[in-house]
């Protein structure tokens, strides 16, 4: 087909194509049922460390057809759904890899949407369209690696309006299920598929010698044998042929990417950031339910409900209710409490991912949802901004392991342990972030090393409205421990630092299961447990939190606002805040000296 020979498609031709394709697909399915030509390969790790034999990159969004953004976004969504079927697949020596056997039938029930397909010189909207970018990349990669192309079919036209970036690009179209791409190699090999923010990246790993360079295949031959480039197909969404039966007006079609905000909770710092940076975007959020709390704190202490200032908020009611009931069930089980929190975050992430549209090219995601979205591929091909509210899970476990060596008899230091695959998923998701936003100094420092490519923005902490706390006259100074009596909050270090020091200790949260924790700090009348109730700042001489892990130091911020001196570990993330004396986590001597200086 030449550009000059192109004619508007007719409906009768479309019907004829549909009938012939269904007949051929049925015949091929019967033939494969009786005598399969290939099998579906599973992922493995045997060749995960093998050298890269070949690599291919192709652009996801910048292919010269910006005027057909809905179909481009649909193509990326289809690649997003197809990627898990090919990623980490390991094929034995001499065996076939069939594109369709590996992927399976691309139906809407699996998440495939309308993409773009070249048909009769036109780029038409088709369910699961755009998979040819994956087949082109796979064929190009196979030729570079010296593999045999057992079956390959070429396009009649090309989609891109710009030249391919690689000179050895291979043209390989696929159409369910009889137009296939099949590869074979003499040695075992591993395929890796990745969707970055802007590119589709394929790699082949194998223990084999590097192949020689190959000639390009993205050409066709004329009658005299000369090689010419394929013509550029007309776009259905940008074509001016209004008489064509496929013509649809562009009114109502999204012509550019959209942003979605996925949040799990409300904090004043992130709320202020979202109002400023993303005021009119779609927001997905849970529904605050008190069922999630086995003890309901007084107003102002529990996590505030999400703001209702955006009319475009989408609430996950079912996932929120399921999570609330689940967390209430496991709230008192120390060894299972953290796992129930992770379960709830996974359900919420799945509910949000189901509501994402192909046009969502930018996600602003709260950190707790990241690893679950990474696991299901919802982050593929999208720009990611992370609302970072916590240390990476790997860092949390390292800190708690170090504290557990010092206090081996305290089981609460072994409470937080995530599945290793979840920890890896979080690290991969953070590594692909383009921007990270956090008010926490410790989190900012940790993520700057883990994701050096991301633009890091440190937000200012928001101090609550609080009146100056009156200093009452007591024989003994009042030391407020701004947490429940848990070892990961620094209770062991505080007990050691206050030994033989006359004072009254006020524990803001619940008591410890260890009745001997506060021995040596006066008698029992000098220890008071507030259980998150009452005016805990009244008469306080100092508020202290020498935590090993602390991501939401709200009580410390309230003390700062009330003018009460604060002694906190660097894990609380309050560096640079006036009135805060910082010590290293686990350093009892530094904590004792800081308390002595403040109380003096």
């Amino acid at each position: 087909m030449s550009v000059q020979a192109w004619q508007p498609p007719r409906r009768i031709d479309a019907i004829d194509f549909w009938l012939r394709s269904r007949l051929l697909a049925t015949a091929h399915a019967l033939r494969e049922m009786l005598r399969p030509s290939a099998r579906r390969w599973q992922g493995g790790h045997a060749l995960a460390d093998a050298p890269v034999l070949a690599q291919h990159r192709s652009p996801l969004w910048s292919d010269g057809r910006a005027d057909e953004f809905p179909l481009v976004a649909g193509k990326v969504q289809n690649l997003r759904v197809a990627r898990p079927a090919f990623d980490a697949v390991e094929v034995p020596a001499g065996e076939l890899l069939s594109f369709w056997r590996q992927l399976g039938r691309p139906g809407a029930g699996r998440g495939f949407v309308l993409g773009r397909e070249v048909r009769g010189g036109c780029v038409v909207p088709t369910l699961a369209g755009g998979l040819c970018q994956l087949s082109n990349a796979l064929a190009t990669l196979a030729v570079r690696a010296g593999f045999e192309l057992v079956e390959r079919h070429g396009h009649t036209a090309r989609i891109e309006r710009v030249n391919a970036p690689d000179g050895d690009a291979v043209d390989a179209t696929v159409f369910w299920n009889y137009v296939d791409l099949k590869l074979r190699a003499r040695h075992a090999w591993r395929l890796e598929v990745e969707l970055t923010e802007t590119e589709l990246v394929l790699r082949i790993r194998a223990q084999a010698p590097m192949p020689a360079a190959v000639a390009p295949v993205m050409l066709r031959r004329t009658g005299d044998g000369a090689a010419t480039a394929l013509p550029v197909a007309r776009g259905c969404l940008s074509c001016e042929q209004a008489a064509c039966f496929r013509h649809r007006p562009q009114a109502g079609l999204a012509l550019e990417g959209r942003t979605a905000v996925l949040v799990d909770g409300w904090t004043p710092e992130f709320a202020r950031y979202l109002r400023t940076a993303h005021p009119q975007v779609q927001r997905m959020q849970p529904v605050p339910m008190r069922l999630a709390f086995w003890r309901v704190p007084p107003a102002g202490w529990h996590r505030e409900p999400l703001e209702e200032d955006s009319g475009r908020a989408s609430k996950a009611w079912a996932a929120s209710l399921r999570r609330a009931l689940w967390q209430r069930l496991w709230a008192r089980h120390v060894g299972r409490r953290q796992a129930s929190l992770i379960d709830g975050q996974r359900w919420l992430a799945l509910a949000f991912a189901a509501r994402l549209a192909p046009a969502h090219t930018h996600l602003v995601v709260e950190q707790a949802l990241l690893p679950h979205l990474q696991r299901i591929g919802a982050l593929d091909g999208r720009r990611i901004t992370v609302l970072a509210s916590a240390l990476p899970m790997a860092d949390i476990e390292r800190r708690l392991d170090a504290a557990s060596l010092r206090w081996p008899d305290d089981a609460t230091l072994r409470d937080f342990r995530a599945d290793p695959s979840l920890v890896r998923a979080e690290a991969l998701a953070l590594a692909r972030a383009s921007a990270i936003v956090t008010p926490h100094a410790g989190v900012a420092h940790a993520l700057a090393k883990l994701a050096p490519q991301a633009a890091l923005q440190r937000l200012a902490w928001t101090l609550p409205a609080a009146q100056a706390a009156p200093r009452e006259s007591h024989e003994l100074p009042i030391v407020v421990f701004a947490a429940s009596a848990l070892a990961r909050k620094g209770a062991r270090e505080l007990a050691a630092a206050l030994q033989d020091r006359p004072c009254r200790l006020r524990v803001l949260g619940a008591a410890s299961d260890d009745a001997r924790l506060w021995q040596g700090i006066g008698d029992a009348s000098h220890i008071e447990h507030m259980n998150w109730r009452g005016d805990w700042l009244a008469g306080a001489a100092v508020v202290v939190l020498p935590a090993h892990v602390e991501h939401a130091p709200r009580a410390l911020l309230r003390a700062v606002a009330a003018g009460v001196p604060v002694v906190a570990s660097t894990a609380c993330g309050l560096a640079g805040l006036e009135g805060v004396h910082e010590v290293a986590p686990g350093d009892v001597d530094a904590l004792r000296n800081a308390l002595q200086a403040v109380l003096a």
Side-chain angles (χ1 to χ4, degrees):
M1 182 205 71
S2 65
V3 177
Q4 292 78 13
W6 181 88
Q7 296 294 330
R10 299 178 302 171
R11 194 179 299 273
I12 187 63
D13 295 331
I15 296 175
D16 177 66
F17 175 83
W18 186 87
L19 291 174
R20 287 188 293 108
S21 64
R22 297 286 76 76
L23 179 62
L24 291 171
T26 303
H28 183 82
L30 292 175
R31 186 165 57 250
E32 286 293 311
M33 186 183 302
L34 298 175
R35 184 183 295 179
S37 60
R39 55 175 291 190
R40 191 178 191 276
W41 304 104
Q42 302 298 321
H45 302 283
L47 297 173
D49 297 325
V52 176
L53 201 61
Q55 179 172 286
H56 178 73
R57 295 176 176 269
S58 56
L60 288 176
W61 304 97
S62 56
D63 59 3
R65 303 199 80 103
D67 52 351
E68 299 197 348
F69 173 79
L71 297 186
V72 176
K75 173 203 71 171
V76 175
Q77 170 64 15
N78 294 329
L79 294 174
R80 195 177 289 131
V81 176
R83 183 194 62 81
F86 294 90
D87 186 37
V89 166
E90 296 189 354
V91 183
E95 296 287 353
L96 277 179
L97 173 69
S98 165
F99 186 92
W100 287 124
R101 175 70 69 174
Q102 192 65 31
L103 179 61
R105 188 182 184 93
R110 296 179 57 187
F112 290 97
V113 298
L114 288 180
R116 56 190 196 179
E117 173 191 325
V118 176
R119 185 184 302 174
C122 296
V123 180
V124 301
T126 304
L127 182 65
L131 293 177
C132 288
Q133 180 169 354
L134 180 58
S135 62
N136 285 345
L138 183 56
T140 301
L141 201 62
V143 171
R144 289 181 182 178
F147 291 6
E148 176 188 1
L149 293 180
V150 178
E151 180 179 346
R152 181 192 70 85
H153 305 271
H155 289 87
T156 57
R158 59 188 174 93
I159 291 179
E160 292 79 5
R161 290 177 179 165
V162 293
N163 294 327
D166 299 309
D168 61 345
V170 178
D171 177 29
T173 184
V174 289
F175 187 88
W176 174 262
N177 57 0
Y178 60 93
V179 180
D180 203 355
L181 171 66
K182 296 179 180 178
L183 318 173
R184 180 162 50 203
R186 297 179 180 178
H187 48 75
W189 56 285
R190 172 187 174 90
L191 176 63
E192 295 177 348
V193 183
E194 178 186 3
L195 268 71
T196 70
E197 178 183 332
T198 58
E199 291 181 316
L200 170 66
V201 184
L202 272 70
R203 285 180 293 270
I204 284 181
R205 295 182 181 271
Q207 300 288 354
M210 296 295 294
V214 294
V217 192
M218 191 63 138
L219 300 172
R220 66 173 184 172
R221 299 284 175 179
T222 60
D224 57 1
T228 61
L230 295 174
V232 178
R234 293 172 177 260
C236 236
L237 298 186
S238 56
C239 182
E240 298 179 356
Q241 292 289 337
C244 176
F245 74 94
R246 290 197 181 100
H247 178 77
R248 296 291 185 275
Q250 287 197 7
L253 294 179
L255 300 180
E256 59 182 9
R258 289 153 47 192
T259 299
V261 175
L262 283 61
V263 292
D264 183 21
W266 183 92
T267 66
E269 294 81 16
F270 288 149
R272 185 176 64 248
Y273 166 77
L274 293 175
R275 281 196 302 267
T276 304
H278 305 284
Q280 298 295 329
V281 301
Q282 181 180 358
R283 183 178 302 180
M284 302 181 190
Q285 61 191 45
V287 181
M289 295 184 180
R290 289 195 171 188
L291 288 173
F293 300 93
W294 61 99
R295 291 190 185 96
V296 180
W301 274 107
H302 64 283
R303 191 167 52 181
E304 295 290 341
L306 293 152
E307 288 193 327
E308 302 293 342
D309 58 354
S310 173
R312 307 181 66 181
S314 176
K315 299 178 181 178
W317 284 92
S320 300
L321 178 60
R322 182 185 182 187
R323 180 174 70 163
L325 294 172
W326 188 249
Q327 291 179 4
R328 183 178 178 87
L329 176 65
W330 296 105
R332 293 183 179 274
H333 295 72
V334 176
R336 190 65 179 80
R337 184 185 305 160
Q338 187 63 37
S340 69
L341 296 177
I342 294 177
D343 290 339
Q345 292 160 358
R346 182 178 70 254
W347 299 331
L348 198 63
L350 292 174
F352 290 163
R355 304 182 185 199
L356 290 175
H360 284 127
T361 58
H362 179 206
L363 300 183
V364 182
V365 186
E366 191 166 343
Q367 183 180 351
L369 307 175
L370 269 184
H372 310 290
L373 296 172
Q374 170 70 24
R375 272 180 161 182
I376 62 177
L379 305 181
D380 291 347
R382 291 181 165 118
R383 183 162 60 94
I384 308 301
T385 296
V386 179
L387 303 179
S389 55
L391 291 169
M393 285 184 279
D395 284 12
I396 295 176
E397 293 185 0
R398 280 195 294 268
R399 294 192 180 199
L400 294 182
D401 287 341
S404 184
L405 294 177
R406 184 180 180 91
W407 313 104
D409 296 332
D410 199 308
T412 61
L413 292 172
R414 297 183 293 274
D415 183 28
F416 182 91
R417 292 299 181 271
D419 185 86
S421 64
L422 194 68
V423 176
R424 289 194 297 270
E426 184 190 45
L428 291 173
L430 289 171
R432 71 192 307 168
S434 60
I436 295 176
V437 181
T438 181
H440 197 289
V443 172
H445 179 72
L447 296 186
K449 296 187 294 184
L450 183 62
Q453 81 293 338
L456 183 63
Q457 181 179 354
R458 172 89 187 276
L459 303 177
W461 287 107
T462 301
L463 297 181
Q467 296 180 351
R471 295 292 183 87
E472 299 179 7
S473 176
H474 292 282
E475 295 181 1
L476 298 177
I478 297 177
V479 177
V480 177
F481 180 58
S484 293
L486 299 173
R488 65 174 176 270
K489 299 300 183 182
R492 297 286 179 180
E493 285 78 9
L494 180 60
L498 292 179
Q499 289 297 309
D500 302 323
R501 182 176 186 86
C503 67
R504 292 174 56 190
L505 178 63
R506 181 179 293 166
V507 180
L508 181 55
S512 172
D513 294 334
D514 186 358
R516 300 171 301 172
L517 175 62
W518 305 117
Q519 286 183 358
I521 310 176
D523 54 33
S525 63
H526 291 165
I527 311 298
E528 179 184 8
H529 295 90
M530 302 293 293
N531 289 306
W532 306 101
R533 294 185 174 89
D535 187 5
W536 55 274
L537 275 177
V542 62
V543 176
V544 60
L545 187 59
H548 296 276
V549 176
E550 178 57 56
H551 298 137
R554 296 295 160 193
L556 301 183
L557 294 174
R558 183 177 179 85
V560 171
V564 179
V566 170
V567 176
S569 68
T570 54
C572 297
L574 300 178
L577 202 60
E578 186 177 357
V580 176
H581 305 264
E582 286 195 312
V583 297
D587 193 336
V588 176
D589 292 334
L591 178 61
R592 183 183 296 113
N593 294 334
L595 288 173
Q596 182 177 357
V598 172
L599 294 177

